[in-house]
Structure formats: structure tokens, C-alpha cells
Amino acid sequence: MMRQYLELKEQVPDCILLFRMGDFYEMFLEDAKVASRVLGIALTSRDKNGENPIPMCGVPHHALEQYLDTLVNKAGFKAAICEQVEDPKQAKGLVKRDITRVISPGMYTNPERIEAKDHRYVASVYFQNAIIGLACLDLSSGEFMAANLHSSPELIFELARLEPWELIMAAEQQEPAMLSQLGEMASLPRTLVKALELEEGNKLLRHLLSEPASDGHGAGLMAASMLWSVVIDTQRCKPEHVQELVFYEPRSFLVLDPHAIRNLELFRSIMDGGRKGSLLHSIDYTQTPMGARLLKDWLLFPLRHKMLIEARQQAIAELIEARLSLEEITECLKALPDLPRLLGRVGMGQAGPKDLASLRNALMLLPRLSVAASQFNAPLILDSVKMMEGMDDLSHLLEQTLASEPPYNLADGGVIADGVSSDLDQLRALAGQGKNWVAELQQSLRSQTGINSLKVGFNRVFGYYIEVSKTHQEKVPPEFMRKQTLAGGERYITIELKEKEAAILGAEESALALEVKLFNRLREQVAARSGQLMALARALARLDVLCGLALLAHTKAYVRPVVSEDGTLDISGGRHPVVESMLKPGEFVPNDILLNNEQQVLIITGPNMAGKSTILRQAAIIAILGQMGSFVPAEKARLTILDRIFTRVGAMDNLAKGQSTFMTEMVETAQILKEATPQSLVILDEVGRGTSTFDGLSLAWAIAEFLHNLQGVGVKTLFATHYHELIEIANSCPRVRNFNVAVKEFNNDIVFMRRLAPGGVSRSYGLQVAKLAGIPQDVLQRAHNILQQLEAENTLNNEMALSPQLALFDATSAAEHPVLDRLRELDTANLTPLAALNLMEELKRALG
């Protein structure tokens, strides 16, 4: 047995091998040590008294999925499942075993333990000269796509956007230089494989390609072929639900880098990392998991093609107008299962009776759904209706073959409906007659023996038996043969009961074997229709998203934006959808934003907490919603098609990379300045605040000028700042405009108006905000006194002509002051901390 184990382990050296032995999956040697620690189970040993005891541990076969969830899904290990592939009763010698599947974090597909609303991607990367091939597959639902990328940042953006759970790479491409191009994704669980040649890749993927990939798609195809080869090897089958490999061009969508995704809280709240508090959570009115995943895709990949955007808008507009039909469609969608993942289990031979029953019920809903959706004119809705056609025969087959309420487990029997197979009906009748005979036998034996408590029962270990309590042992007939002693009595058998048991169990076993055969054939018939069914699933998911966006627009008073390509972003009465959802109706204060070829850079000043950041973010979010085809939270909107949205907001350091808050800020800003185009939208919030006043101010000034002058036409920019001096830029840059978030002062307190108004401000109201935050009054009073003193001593630095300076010494006597002479003489590069403290004390005395 250990030789057999070691031979199988050689096939999967990077996996924890779960080796089936009867009712347990056992693990040995190093696998046992790792698994016992990760799973929290006892580590024991085989041959304990031998010279070299073998560490081992095990888990019950019925709890396998629970332990795989911990081992693979949570801890990130790979597991290989080794099954007994022959009946132990019929085996001669050692039972044959084989590895039936390998489960890795990216290919973990248990529907009960993975997030229903998120994709579960495994990614593959292949470097080919200056081109980087990327492929991603969600094995649970069949989405398979590939792209050719042109730089490391582009690769990092795509990986951040798709959030894969696992990485596949060519074994020969593990150099540090290549791994560094993966960014943080380099730490993902990795599988190394041999890269295929282009011709081999085309051959392997030919059934997924509409036409062979050329050298133009070479890197992407190489990545996809490596990924597919791993799938075939680990799953021990060809997943039928994966129907096509789609090549996409990232630059044909609005690019959202990791900073924009995080700062705009598109998918997760910055506060706790959860879905609640994100944009996706606030706009998700879908009824199905497949619709929720597609909505996330639309938000991840906003469109840049005007006609495609308007096609989605048209469908949403028609659905809003036809409220009754929208409600009818929504009710139907609510009853649908997660079809792509259901078909994934069918395609990999893992679907159970409940899965096919769910598919049957879904297909039976199609006529009602089709009627409700057929009245619309929008092509996207009519395309979905078309995909519902041609399913009647499959629906009828499932309806006729499956029992109305089949059990969860195939082994429980009762899955196939009566009338499907005459052989099955006969076996069931025989088993049923036998059970009736057993019931009659119990009554007969009670009469014959006079033991009214006598029972005829059954269990899986001992079979059928006659049970008599201890108080009636003297009445037991001599033909009863003792089988088992209990605490309260004895169990017996008779020759007649044993013969009937063989007949009943034989009929039940034969019936179950036939049911398994009929069910597997039915599952194969469904798998053969995977292409048509996956197209239906995609169409229904799209219909779900469109209906969800229509419900969103109707419920929250969103409007249809005008989409243009003229460079104008004009939002009237814009609202932040997440912030608005957290307030009472009518509490959110809408704002207007206009960016065009004449008004291109807005310098926005105002105190903390006034709402500057909200206004910036809501402009970006409205642009994203518009390009994904949704209606937007505004009174009116005209949105130009953007190529990228850049954000630099918030203070955050990256200690792991040795970067301070300011360094992180500058790295992100440098990326914006290098990659922004006149078709981009740039959101800057408090750039330059992480360093000294003059450094920060000069950087902020230069950055604003750069964005105004980029390529001679500038970039659409919203720049929130506390550097009030930046309002002077408008005097030299004609497309810069100053705005402020208004406040009202009353008795040295302030009231936030949340309203964006023209013009700049010259105060930050820091003490008033500190008072609102609860700073003690004595601290506030001391700060007020210091502020008055500093403002009184403040003088203008004429050389910089930018910012008022704080005079350390009286301007008239500074040149003659001996302290300044002493400071000029200092060798600061070699000044020790102790010497510095002594010097400070000396200077303090000199100042009196």
C-alpha cells in the first residue's frame, strides 16, 4: 500500500495527496505533518513500534469538502484526490487507486464555499520579448479570456483588475526580473509548466477558437495554452462548459488602475475591505449570482465605444418605461439558479440530481420569461429572447426523466422518474414488494410468538433482523438464529428472512446501479448542449444586469447621460451614490461639475470635512457609471468618453517597499504625469501635503501647470487642495478655474454648506474643524493664540512670490543678529544629536 502511495505521490510532488482508504482519506509523511497542522487534526503514525514510524493523519470521506475548504480555499495549498477506482469486494489483492482530480486555489469550484458574486480566476502569464501574454479562466463558470499586453504596469493593472487566485507560468521564466513585473501578484500560489509552441497551442485550443491564433496573438495564446494544459491535467477531463477563448484588448475599455479601484471604493470599502460601502454594493439590483458577476465585469471594464454604451442605455430606458414587464422579468430571474456554475459542474461530471433539477426548473421558466421580454425593441433584450429559443426538447427530457423532487445524493436513489425505464420500474416493484413482505412478516411473527413488541428492522451493517427484548426471550422459537446481542435484548435471523433480504437488497442494488447509469447518461446529454446552454446563461445574466440597472435608475432617480466625444464633462446636480445611500432622503447636497476645452483644471479649496473629496470622487464615479452604460445619479449629465481615470487621494505609506507616505504619493503622481492623456480624467486630493510647506506647494503648483499644459491641450483635472496660493495659477493658465466648497461662519463656528461655488478661499478653518472633532477647549484657545502670533509675524517672501513666510526673527535686525552668524558657521553634516541639543540651549540663551 505504501509503495502504491509513493508512486502516486511522485505524480503530484507539489500537492497534499489525500489517499482513499475505506471511509477515510489518509495522508502520510510530510503531507501528514503539514495537513495535521493546517487542518487541526491529530497526527499519529503507522508502524508506531517500528524503527521508522510513518507520520499519518486522516479525514472522514463524507467531510472531504469541509477539509478541502480549509486546506485549499483558505490556506492556499494544492490537494490531489486519490480514489479507489475498483470495487474492494471484487479486487484481487491491493485495491486499484488513481488520482481523479487536483484542486488548487484557482481551480477550487465548490459552489457552497466560494463567493457567488465574484469570479474565481486562475491566471497564466507568458513573456515573449516585449509582449506579455495574459490568460484568465474561471473554471467554475467557464469564462476564458486572453490578452497581449505591452508593459509591466499594464500587466499589473490587469492582474489587479481580475484578482486571480493562482498563477501559472512557464518553468523557464522564473527569473527575478520577470517575477518583479508581476508586482504583488508574484506572491500568489504558482504552478510551473512547460510552454508550448504556437502550433501546439493552436492545436490544443482549436475547439475554443473561432480561427487559429496568429503571431499577433502569440503571447496571449501561449499563456492560454499553458493554462488549458494545466486544466486538462488536473481535472482529468475536458470541461465541456468552457466553450470559447475570447481575446480582448484592454485599451478598448476605460482603464482603471489599482489606485483608482481602491480610492474610488469601486468594489470594497477602504474602511473594512468589505463589499458593503462600495460602489458595486450600492448599484447591485441583480437577482442572480451570474448577473452580479457580470455587473462587476461591466464596472471593471467600462466601454469606450459610443454605440455600445448607447445600446445598453436604450435597453435600460425601455425597461424603466415598461414597469409591469420589468417586474415580471425580475420575478422570473429571481427563480433562476447560477446557470454558468451549474453548467460547470455538468461539464466536469460533478453535477448531482439537484443540479439537473434546478436546470429543469430554469428551462421551464423560459416561455414565461420570453413572453415578458419579447415586447421590447432594444437589440440587447431581443438577443436575450433569441437565446431562449430551442430549449423545449431539453426541458421536456429533464422533466420526463427526473423525479419531481430528487434527493441531493445520487446514492440515495429515487432520482429517475417512474416510467423512464421498464427495467428500473420492475426492480423498484420487486424491492417494494419485499419491503411490504417484511412488514407483513413482523405482524405474522407477533401473532405466532405472542411477542407484541417484536420488531423486524434493517441497518446497513447487519441487514434485516428480528429484535426481541430480554423480557420475552423465553418465547423465542427455536428456528430463530441469534445474530447480535444488545443491552436490552437480542437480534435474530431466519433462513426465510435471509433469503428475502438477498432478494430485496439485490433489487435495490440493481435499481440504484441502473439509476446511476441513467442519470450519467442524462448528464452527458446535457453536457452535449453546453454551447447552447452557456450562450443562454450569458444572455440571462445580461438581461439580469439590464433589469437591475433599470431598477436602480427608477428607485434612485438616476438619469440617462448624453455620451459624447467632444471633451465635455458636464454634470448638473451630481450625487455620490454610496454617500447618498447612507444618508436620509434629501440630505445629500448635489453639485455641478463642468470640464471642457475652456475650463479644464479646477482648483478646489475649502476646509477639511467640507466635502471636497466627495465631489471629486462622485465626478469620477459618474463618469465610470456612464461608460458602463448605466444611468447616473444626477439631474442632467453630458459625459465625454474617457480613456483613463487617475486618482491620487489619501495619505498612505508602503512600509514593505520602504516608502514613506510622501514617497508613495510622489510615485503615484509620477505615474499620472507620465501616462495621462487629453482624454483622461485626473483626480488629485491634497497632493504635496506630505512634505514641508514650500516643497509641497511648489510641487503642487508645478503639477497643476503640467496637467494644464500637457500636449498643448491639457488634461481634465479636479485638484482639491489646502494650498490657497494655488488659486493664483488661474492668472497665468487660462484654462484653470477656482472653486471652493462653501461654509458659513457663525460665532466663530462654521456650518458646512457642501456646495461647490466659484472662486477660491484663503482660509482652511482648521481650528473650527478641530473644535467640531472634540479637541479640548484649552488646547483650542492656546492654538488660537499661537495662530494670532504667527499671523502677526507673517511676512511676504518676495523672491518666491508664491506664499507668505513665517519670520523667525525681526526683519530689520535679522542681518545683524549673532545667532544667524552662529548658524551659518555650523557643520550640520557632522553635528551629533548631543551637540545639537547643547547648541539649541546655547542659542536659546543668546536670544534671551
Side-chain angles (χ1 to χ4, degrees):
M1 185 276 297
M2 285 305 298
R3 278 197 300 270
Q4 185 186 51
Y5 169 84
L6 292 171
E7 287 171 1
L8 291 166
K9 176 64 181 175
E10 283 183 5
Q11 298 178 22
V12 285
D14 59 340
C15 298
I16 304 291
L17 179 61
L18 289 94
F19 189 79
R20 181 69 180 265
M21 295 179 66
D23 290 336
F24 282 79
Y25 287 97
E26 301 287 359
M27 289 153 279
F28 299 98
L29 303 169
E30 288 303 312
D31 283 1
K33 295 177 183 178
V34 172
S36 66
R37 184 184 72 252
V38 174
L39 300 176
I41 56 179
L43 178 67
T44 180
S45 62
R46 196 174 185 86
D47 195 14
K48 292 182 182 180
N49 300 320
E51 191 173 321
N52 296 301
I54 300 171
M56 66 177 291
C57 64
V59 298
H61 76 95
H62 62 269
L64 175 64
E65 291 302 328
Q66 169 191 335
Y67 288 105
L68 286 177
D69 177 47
T70 302
L71 190 64
V72 179
N73 192 35
K74 294 174 181 170
F77 288 91
K78 293 169 68 176
I81 310 302
C82 174
E83 297 285 4
Q84 297 172 171
V85 294
E86 68 174 339
D87 188 342
K89 296 176 183 177
Q90 300 176 0
K92 294 181 180 180
L94 192 63
V95 176
K96 289 182 182 178
R97 293 179 174 86
D98 201 359
I99 295 170
T100 55
R101 59 182 172 137
V102 174
I103 306 164
S104 58
M107 297 188 195
Y108 181 78
T109 59
N110 187 331
E112 296 177 0
R113 299 180 183 273
I114 61 176
E115 175 55 53
K117 293 187 174 185
D118 287 335
H119 285 295
R120 185 80 171 207
Y121 284 120
V122 55
S124 177
V125 176
Y126 183 77
F127 298 94
Q128 188 179 62
N129 301 321
I131 306 298
I132 304 172
L134 172 67
C136 280
L137 170 67
D138 183 345
L139 187 62
S140 70
S141 58
E143 285 88 354
F144 194 10
M145 54 190 179
N148 285 331
L149 310 176
H150 304 279
S151 67
S152 298
E154 195 173 5
L155 173 62
I156 291 171
F157 294 168
E158 289 306 299
L159 289 174
R161 180 148 58 174
L162 298 168
E163 295 183 307
W165 283 68
E166 180 184 353
L167 208 56
I168 294 170
M169 294 186 69
E172 61 271 25
Q173 294 188 341
Q174 288 295 290
E175 294 89 345
M178 290 181 175
L179 292 177
S180 68
Q181 297 183 59
L182 301 170
E184 294 180 359
M185 294 295 172
S187 63
L188 285 173
R190 255 194 332 271
T191 298
L192 305 181
V193 296
K194 181 180 180 299
L196 304 178
E197 296 295 332
L198 181 61
E199 185 177 343
E200 293 177 290
N202 270 316
K203 185 177 180 181
L204 181 66
L205 297 168
R206 62 182 180 276
H207 64 292
L208 301 176
L209 299 168
S210 55
E211 58 183 30
S214 62
D215 289 336
H217 282 145
L221 182 87
M222 297 291 281
S225 63
M226 289 193 307
L227 198 163
W228 192 243
S229 68
V230 172
V231 170
I232 298 298
D233 181 55
T234 58
Q235 304 306 305
R236 303 301 200 256
C237 69
K238 185 178 76 174
E240 297 290 344
H241 66 297
V242 183
Q243 286 291 307
E244 61 177 339
L245 171 62
V246 177
F247 282 93
Y248 75 101
E249 171 51 65
R251 296 177 186 179
S252 64
F253 301 96
L254 172 63
V255 176
L256 298 167
D257 64 30
H259 308 305
I261 290 172
R262 178 187 182 277
N263 293 331
L264 298 175
E265 298 180 284
L266 297 185
F267 307 108
R268 295 187 183 88
S269 164
I270 290 177
M271 183 175 296
D272 62 7
R275 185 182 292 264
K276 190 173 182 180
S278 70
L279 175 62
L280 180 61
H281 181 266
S282 72
I283 67 170
D284 187 358
Y285 280 62
T286 58
Q287 306 299 319
T288 68
M290 58 186 174
R293 290 194 300 273
L294 184 60
L295 176 67
K296 184 177 181 180
D297 289 345
W298 284 17
L299 191 54
L300 271 173
F301 294 93
L303 302 170
R304 289 183 61 191
H305 195 292
K306 187 171 182 286
M307 287 181 60
L308 297 178
I309 295 170
E310 290 175 339
R312 292 179 181 177
Q313 289 181 339
Q314 180 188 349
I316 294 167
E318 289 188 17
L319 287 163
I320 293 172
E321 291 298 316
R323 290 284 299 142
L324 291 178
S325 295
L326 174 59
E327 290 175 5
E328 174 72 0
I329 295 171
T330 301
E331 282 300 310
C332 291
L333 291 170
K334 198 179 295 183
L336 294 179
D338 189 343
L339 282 174
R341 286 186 170 168
L342 188 157
L343 294 170
R345 295 191 290 281
V346 171
M348 292 189 289
Q350 298 170 0
K354 287 293 186 185
D355 290 318
L356 294 196
S358 294
L359 177 59
R360 172 199 63 197
N361 297 341
L363 296 181
M364 290 171 66
L365 268 176
L366 292 184
R368 176 184 165 193
L369 188 54
S370 178
V371 169
S374 293
Q375 65 167 295
F376 296 96
N377 297 315
L380 287 180
I381 300 177
L382 294 180
D383 286 349
S384 295
V385 173
K386 187 176 181 181
M387 291 297 103
M388 299 180 205
E389 298 171 357
M391 294 293 179
D392 292 347
D393 60 331
L394 184 57
S395 176
H396 181 73
L397 174 65
L398 289 167
E399 190 177 355
Q400 294 298 311
T401 306
L402 288 173
S404 57
E405 291 293 335
Y408 185 83
N409 290 313
L410 181 57
D412 292 336
V415 171
I416 304 299
D418 292 336
V420 173
S421 165
S422 58
D423 290 342
L424 180 59
D425 292 343
Q426 289 175 9
L427 289 168
R428 283 175 172 171
L430 180 59
Q433 290 168 6
K435 289 179 179 179
N436 291 336
W437 179 87
V438 168
E440 293 171 359
L441 175 65
Q442 177 175 283
Q443 190 58 43
S444 172
L445 289 175
R446 284 179 177 180
S447 300
Q448 291 174 23
T449 62
I451 306 172
N452 291 330
S453 61
L454 179 148
K455 293 190 303 184
V456 179
F458 172 83
N459 70 36
R460 293 184 180 274
V461 177
F462 294 105
Y464 284 97
Y465 56 82
I466 302 165
E467 185 172 316
V468 180
S469 64
K470 283 184 177 179
T471 57
H472 296 290
Q473 290 300 308
E474 72 281 356
K475 297 179 182 179
V476 173
E479 64 268 23
F480 281 22
M481 295 175 283
R482 183 177 283 106
K483 187 170 187 177
Q484 183 185 13
T485 299
L486 305 175
E490 299 283 346
R491 286 178 177 174
Y492 303 89
I493 58 169
T494 65
I495 293 174
E496 182 184 24
L497 183 59
K498 203 64 183 170
E499 290 174 348
K500 207 64 178 179
E501 176 186 272
I504 295 170
L505 296 183
E508 289 179 348
E509 189 174 329
S510 297
L512 181 58
L514 183 53
E515 274 203 86
V516 170
K517 183 178 179 181
L518 292 171
F519 180 80
N520 287 339
R521 186 173 70 187
L522 178 63
R523 187 167 59 193
E524 289 168 3
Q525 289 173 294
V526 174
R529 301 282 288 273
S530 289
Q532 189 180 8
L533 287 168
M534 286 300 293
L536 170 67
R538 286 192 293 270
L540 292 174
R542 183 173 64 236
L543 184 60
D544 189 15
V545 174
L546 292 170
C547 288
L549 292 175
L551 285 171
L552 169 72
H554 174 77
T555 304
K556 297 191 174 181
Y558 285 16
V559 299
R560 180 176 182 172
V562 175
V563 179
S564 73
E565 297 175 285
D566 63 2
T568 298
L569 190 149
D570 186 0
I571 301 169
S572 298
R575 313 187 303 275
H576 192 299
V578 181
V579 177
E580 183 184 36
S581 69
M582 296 178 177
L583 300 176
K584 295 178 182 178
E587 280 190 350
F588 189 90
V589 179
N591 272 290
D592 303 341
I593 289 285
L594 173 62
L595 292 168
N596 56 25
N597 295 332
E598 287 75 42
Q599 182 169 297
Q600 205 161 50
V601 178
L602 304 191
I603 304 296
I604 303 173
T605 50
N608 281 314
M609 298 299 296
K612 300 191 300 296
S613 296
T614 298
I615 293 170
L616 265 60
R617 286 173 169 87
Q618 78 188 34
I621 285 172
I622 288 171
I624 292 169
L625 288 173
Q627 283 189 228
M628 68 177 274
S630 172
F631 284 26
V632 300
E635 295 171 6
K636 186 172 65 173
R638 179 181 182 85
L639 306 176
T640 189
I641 294 178
L642 304 171
D643 62 355
R644 289 191 64 159
I645 291 179
F646 295 93
T647 64
R648 163 83 285 276
V649 301
M652 184 176 66
D653 53 23
N654 193 330
L655 298 179
K657 292 185 177 179
Q659 293 181 353
S660 65
T661 298
F662 183 64
M663 174 59 81
T664 301
E665 177 184 327
M666 289 297 100
V667 168
E668 293 180 13
T669 304
Q671 177 193 326
I672 295 172
L673 301 182
K674 290 174 184 175
E675 299 180 15
T677 75
Q679 288 75 48
S680 303
L681 173 64
V682 174
I683 303 296
L684 299 176
D685 195 356
E686 303 298 348
V687 167
R689 298 293 289 183
T691 186
S692 68
T693 301
F694 284 146
D695 282 353
L697 175 57
S698 57
L699 278 166
W701 189 297
I703 289 166
E705 282 186 344
F706 180 91
L707 292 169
H708 174 272
N709 299 327
L710 184 74
Q711 297 183 22
V713 294
V715 184
K716 287 171 281 295
T717 304
L718 300 175
F719 197 146
T721 183
H722 279 290
Y723 290 132
H724 310 118
E725 298 81 4
L726 292 186
I727 64 178
E728 299 296 327
I729 300 177
N731 296 330
S732 57
C733 296
R735 296 184 301 280
V736 171
R737 299 288 185 275
N738 294 318
F739 283 81
N740 71 91
V741 184
V743 297
K744 282 191 178 295
E745 292 187 73
F746 181 74
N747 290 338
N748 205 34
D749 287 334
I750 56 172
V751 177
F752 298 123
M753 306 304 294
R754 313 291 186 193
R755 179 74 68 184
L756 193 64
V761 295
S762 58
R763 295 185 59 191
S764 291
Y765 298 95
L767 299 188
Q768 288 85 346
V769 173
K771 181 179 179 181
L772 291 174
I775 295 296
Q777 183 58 38
D778 55 345
V779 175
L780 291 172
Q781 185 58 51
R782 175 60 178 151
H784 178 72
N785 295 338
I786 294 171
L787 178 62
Q788 287 184 321
Q789 180 181 350
L790 293 174
E791 287 178 340
E793 296 173 355
N794 204 20
T795 60
L796 187 66
N797 185 329
N798 291 321
E799 289 184 9
M800 289 285 294
L802 294 175
S803 170
Q805 300 295 303
L806 299 180
L808 293 175
F809 308 101
D810 183 86
T812 60
S813 60
E816 296 80 28
H817 204 292
V819 169
L820 286 181
D821 293 334
R822 183 77 176 88
L823 288 172
R824 290 190 188 100
E825 295 170 357
L826 281 179
D827 181 7
T828 55
N830 296 307
L831 191 66
T832 67
L834 180 60
L837 289 172
N838 292 332
L839 177 63
M840 290 295 291
E841 184 63 27
E842 176 189 334
L843 295 179
K844 183 178 177 182
R845 286 196 301 270
L847 288 171

